[in-house]
Amino acid sequence: EGCTRVSSSAASDVYKRQGIEAALIVGIVAGFLKQSGHHHLMNKVWLGVISAALLCVGIGLAIHRLTGEIPQKEQEFVVGAIGLVAVGMLTYMVLWMQKAARSMKQHLQDSVQAALNQGGSGWALVLMAFLAVAREGLESVFFLIAVFGQSSDHKMLSLIHI
């Protein structure tokens, strides 16, 4: 029960952190679109957000099904490899945030303005939102599978995919 409580707490923390990071990026894009009179393009942003969320759920389900069907020894290897990927992603994100945090809002606004200037019907915004949410969502998938893979209560793993 103690391990389950720790896993649930870790999962909650991961969901909150990754959700806040994705919401920050989408919020900056949305705010800029509103300020610049392009609020009508928000449906494109939401299309990117929803597509990325569905992709992450699909990948999470696929990994869960694949790791649930392989023998225990290989399953431990897969969970360990996923844990290493999660650590690598976290390390990269920390290093990137140290470098980009000061200029992130301006960089995002410049990227949105460049996309708007190219005249496409907002599809670059779909890609921007998709990549932002997909990155955070995939980090969540890898972190949560690694956390719950170490848990003795494997029922908790299924919570990732609800």
Side-chain angles (χ1 to χ4, degrees):
E1 183 183 346
C3 189
T4 301
R5 215 175 295 131
V6 170
S7 296
S8 297
S9 175
S12 176
D13 291 346
V14 167
Y15 278 130
K16 287 175 192 170
R17 187 177 78 77
Q18 300 306 118
I20 288 170
E21 288 178 18
L24 175 66
I25 293 168
V26 172
I28 290 170
V29 171
F32 182 76
L33 287 175
K34 186 175 181 179
Q35 283 180 334
S36 64
H38 293 93
H39 185 67
H40 63 282
L41 293 174
M42 273 306 296
N43 60 341
K44 304 285 187 179
V45 173
W46 288 118
L47 177 63
V49 168
I50 292 167
S51 299
L54 291 173
L55 173 75
C56 293
V57 168
I59 290 174
L61 284 170
I63 290 172
H64 175 60
R65 288 203 174 123
L66 287 173
T67 58
E69 295 175 5
I70 59 177
Q72 182 66 29
K73 188 173 185 176
E74 286 82 5
Q75 192 174 29
E76 290 172 3
F77 173 76
V78 169
V79 170
I82 289 172
L84 289 175
V85 168
V87 168
M89 290 175 87
L90 178 62
T91 303
Y92 169 78
M93 200 56 206
V94 167
L95 295 174
W96 179 80
M97 283 300 288
Q98 282 180 328
K99 185 175 114 181
R102 291 186 187 104
S103 62
M104 187 168 77
K105 180 179 178 184
Q106 188 61 47
H107 177 70
L108 282 171
Q109 289 177 340
D110 291 345
S111 296
V112 171
Q113 188 61 56
L116 293 173
N117 290 343
Q118 289 181 352
S121 57
W123 290 105
L125 296 173
V126 173
L127 184 61
M128 286 179 81
F130 178 85
L131 292 175
V133 173
R135 183 185 68 223
E136 302 306 330
L138 291 174
E139 283 182 29
S140 295
V141 166
F142 292 132
F143 287 135
L144 294 173
I145 287 175
V147 165
F148 290 133
Q150 302 301 319
S151 171
S152 61
D153 184 3
H154 296 289
K155 290 182 206 172
M156 291 300 296
L157 189 57
S158 66
L159 290 177
I160 296 171
H161 312 292
I162 291 179

